[in-house]
Amino acid sequence: MAVDEWFRQNMAKEKDIELIIEEPLEDKDTKKAKETHEAKETHEAEAPLESEDANETNESHESKDAESHKLKEAFKKIKENVHEDDPRPTQSLTLRSILGGDILTGEFVRKHIWLFVFIVVLTTAYVGIRYQCQQDMIVIDRMNAELTDAKYKALSSSSTLTEKCRESHVLDILKENKDSLLHIAEKPPYIIYVPEER
């Protein structure tokens, strides 16, 4: 019975195939009894019908019987070929099914859900690590620029100190300050010998 229900649900979804599926097949005896009972009721209700109307009714009744017989035969063949273990027929992949989320209910997605979760986690980790790396690169570039500025400042201050420590510059400063007792020696230096005590 599960196959019948599944078939009815899927056939109701299909728009291209128009099949009328009747209730489960009845015994031939009960079918014939119903047909004769219906025929008697119609015959009693419409006794004064002309022969042409009776022929048309019989022909339409025969055509309905033929159609129902064909449908029942088709249904029998489908029942013979379809088993509960068979995979469900795949729906066509359309943009509407993707955007509507129907693709997420597919058997393939349900079987591999943990793989998809793992891929999403890896992608999230990759994006997060890449973002952190870019932030670190920005900090490194900023610190390199600060280091270069500090080197240039140290170089300029070192050159200024070297310039101020020159002898000529020191002498010029001493000349400007007249109250200083420091001046250039006029006599060359000489050595003083001190006798050693014994």
Side-chain angles (χ1 to χ4, degrees):
M1 280 312 219
V3 174
D4 295 340
E5 291 172 13
W6 176 83
F7 183 74
R8 283 192 189 109
Q9 289 172 356
N10 284 335
M11 291 310 291
K13 290 180 184 176
E14 294 292 327
K15 294 180 180 177
D16 298 337
I17 302 172
E18 294 182 5
L19 282 178
I20 301 170
I21 300 174
E22 297 178 357
E23 292 300 316
L25 299 174
E26 299 175 350
D27 294 56
K28 290 182 181 179
D29 296 334
T30 55
K31 182 182 171 187
K32 287 182 183 178
K34 283 185 180 179
E35 288 176 1
T36 54
H37 182 66
E38 289 174 4
K40 285 180 184 179
E41 287 179 0
T42 55
H43 182 65
E44 290 172 1
E46 300 174 359
L49 282 178
E50 297 177 8
S51 63
E52 291 178 7
D53 290 339
N55 288 339
E56 288 176 8
T57 307
N58 287 337
E59 287 175 4
S60 65
H61 191 29
E62 288 175 2
S63 65
K64 286 181 183 178
D65 287 342
E67 286 180 21
S68 66
H69 181 67
K70 286 180 184 177
L71 286 174
K72 288 177 183 179
E73 288 295 323
F75 193 64
K76 278 183 187 178
K77 288 181 182 178
I78 290 172
K79 258 187 163 179
E80 290 171 1
N81 292 331
V82 174
H83 301 288
E84 288 186 19
D85 298 338
D86 291 342
R88 293 186 177 186
T90 57
Q91 296 176 352
S92 60
L93 187 65
T94 61
L95 182 63
R96 182 177 181 185
S97 68
I98 293 170
L99 293 178
D102 295 338
I103 194 168
L104 297 176
T105 61
E107 188 174 339
F108 176 77
V109 175
R110 278 188 269 130
K111 280 185 179 179
H112 298 94
I113 188 71
W114 292 113
L115 175 65
F116 291 131
V117 169
F118 182 66
I119 290 171
V120 167
V121 167
L122 285 182
T123 305
T124 306
Y126 173 74
V127 170
I129 291 170
R130 184 173 179 183
Y131 177 76
Q132 186 62 42
C133 181
Q134 286 178 343
Q135 294 299 317
D136 292 343
M137 292 297 291
I138 291 170
V139 169
I140 289 170
D141 289 341
R142 189 178 70 236
M143 293 181 95
N144 279 337
E146 289 176 5
L147 180 64
T148 306
D149 290 343
K151 282 182 180 179
Y152 287 141
K153 285 179 184 177
L155 184 63
S156 65
S157 61
S158 173
S159 65
T160 305
L161 181 63
T162 305
E163 181 185 346
K164 288 185 178 184
C165 290
R166 280 189 189 153
E167 185 180 349
S168 61
H169 187 70
V170 171
L171 290 175
D172 289 339
I173 291 173
L174 287 175
K175 283 181 186 176
E176 289 174 4
N177 290 335
K178 297 194 177 191
D179 59 342
S180 175
L181 299 173
L182 296 175
H183 60 279
I184 298 174
E186 295 173 358
K187 296 179 183 177
Y190 56 93
I191 300 172
I192 299 175
Y193 293 104
V194 178
E196 294 182 6
E197 294 181 9
R198 290 188 186 187

